[in-house]
């Protein structure tokens, strides 16, 4: 309430063109509320207020996309690895607006080209795909390469590192909003930072990210983070999320 009151007060000043008449610096200082103090993580480690989705030890936070069974992917040496054709996995917990950190690595044994080489994907709310693909030295359509919003928005640059090295995605996501009639009234938005480089800058998501066809916009509520099994043994580690 205090925040709202202050905003209103400042808005009134601006509206009335009175800013020039403020002479006391304290008039524009906010002392209450105070932002919560947290401990940030070092080198991509989870901050103290994050929900850790995968710390390298087990897949307890995950389940199969189909059937909600225990996630069957391999866990070893601090990472999880897709077991090809075992199916996609998703978090048991559902989310709306968040900051997501995820690290992935493509196989060092090179198989295939384009969409067949080191393909997976991380889906916002289980619906909207940020492409994960070995785009280091492999050609595909630009809006389907690593860090694209699949078939909607190509990344601003290609920041992919070599197979076997770890790619980092830091994603800031705001879910779309729907009214009571199921009509979308606000786009979902997404910012993707790939290995420290902004590659999607507050992109307005057009809708679903299908392989064939145009985006659609069915109403939905909170959803899981899901990871795609595209038949390649992709690795993931250090996954955490902060609800916003
Ligand atoms: Mg994919």
């Amino acid at each position: 309430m205090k925040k709202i009151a202050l905003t209103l007060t400042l808005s009134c000043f601006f509206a009335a063109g009175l800013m020039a008449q403020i002479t006391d610096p304290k008039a524009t200082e906010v002392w209450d509320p105070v932002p919560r103090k947290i401990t940030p993580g070092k080198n991509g480690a989870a901050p103290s207020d994050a929900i850790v989705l995968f710390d390298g030890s087990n897949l307890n936070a995950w389940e199969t996309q189909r059937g909600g069974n225990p996630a069957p992917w391999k866990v070893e040496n601090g990472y999880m690895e897709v077991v090809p054709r075992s199916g996609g996995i998703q978090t048991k917990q559902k989310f709306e607006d968040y900051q997501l950190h995820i690290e992935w690595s493509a196989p060092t044994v090179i198989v295939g080209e384009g969409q067949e080489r080191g393909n997976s994907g991380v889906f916002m709310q289980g619906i909207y795909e940020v492409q994960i693909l070995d785009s280091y030295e492999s050609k595909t359509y630009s809006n389907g390469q690593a860090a694209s919003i699949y078939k909607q928005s190509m990344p601003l640059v290609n920041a992919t590192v070599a197979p076997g090295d770890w790619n980092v995605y830091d994603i800031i996501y705001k879910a779309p909003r729907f009214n009571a009639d199921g009509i979308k009234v606000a786009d979902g938005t997404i910012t993707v930072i790939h290995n420290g480089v902004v590659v999607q800058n507050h992109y307005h998501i057009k809708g679903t990210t299908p392989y064939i066809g145009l985006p659609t916009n069915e109403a939905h509520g909170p959803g899981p983070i899901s990871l795609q099994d595209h038949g390649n043994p992709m690795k993931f580690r250090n996954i955490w999320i902060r609800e916003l």
Side-chain angles (χ1 to χ4, degrees):
M1 278 313 287
K2 280 176 184 165
K3 211 176 196 174
I4 294 166
L6 179 90
T7 307
L8 284 174
T9 308
L10 290 178
S11 302
C12 290
F13 279 130
F14 282 116
L18 294 174
M19 285 306 282
Q21 294 178 23
I22 297 177
T23 53
D24 181 2
K26 287 190 169 48
T28 48
E29 293 173 2
V30 179
W31 288 78
D32 183 37
V34 176
R36 208 157 27 90
K37 191 162 187 171
I38 60 124
T39 307
K42 285 187 181 145
N43 300 319
S48 61
D49 64 342
I51 299 166
V52 175
L53 297 174
F54 179 66
D55 67 0
S57 58
N58 63 67
L59 292 173
N60 292 350
W62 301 78
E63 62 186 11
T64 58
Q65 267 182 300
R66 287 198 188 139
N69 297 312
W73 292 6
K74 193 160 77 180
V75 176
E76 61 181 20
N77 302 321
Y79 59 77
M80 68 165 95
E81 184 178 310
V82 178
V83 173
R85 287 165 289 284
S86 66
I89 65 172
Q90 64 186 19
T91 55
K92 294 174 182 169
Q93 198 171 340
K94 294 184 162 95
F95 304 97
E96 199 153 41
D97 306 328
Y98 51 79
Q99 169 188 358
L100 173 69
H101 178 99
I102 183 168
E103 303 181 17
W104 60 272
S105 181
T108 50
V109 177
I110 304 294
V111 177
E113 175 75 17
Q115 297 292 313
E116 302 310 313
R117 183 186 299 187
N119 193 335
S120 182
V122 55
F123 289 71
M124 308 300 106
Q125 301 192 294
I127 298 170
Y128 312 104
E129 182 179 12
V130 178
Q131 177 67 302
I132 288 174
L133 189 73
D134 178 5
S135 293
Y136 183 62
E137 288 178 335
S138 181
K139 187 87 178 148
T140 190
Y141 39 97
S142 298
N143 59 355
Q145 71 177 67
S148 63
I149 308 306
Y150 187 67
K151 289 204 169 172
Q152 289 188 32
S153 176
M154 65 183 77
L156 295 168
V157 294
N158 181 356
T160 313
V161 295
D165 289 343
W166 288 94
N167 285 274
V168 181
Y169 283 174
D170 287 290
I171 296 172
I172 298 142
Y173 173 75
K174 184 163 189 181
R177 297 305 201 260
F178 302 86
N179 70 14
D181 297 324
I183 294 165
K184 188 169 80 167
V185 292
D187 288 340
T189 59
I190 191 163
T191 293
V192 179
I193 300 169
H194 184 186
N195 295 327
V197 177
V198 174
V199 291
Q200 300 287 349
N201 185 7
H202 198 69
Y203 176 72
H204 281 243
I205 299 168
K206 293 185 173 73
T208 55
T209 52
Y211 174 49
I212 299 172
L214 296 172
T216 58
N217 287 282
E218 291 86 19
H220 63 82
I225 306 299
S226 60
L227 299 175
Q228 186 181 52
D229 168 15
H230 201 278
N232 302 129
M234 303 293 286
K235 296 183 173 78
F236 298 91
R237 71 177 186 188
N238 190 23
I239 309 174
W240 51 262
I241 194 166
R242 295 180 64 253
E243 294 181 286
L244 299 173

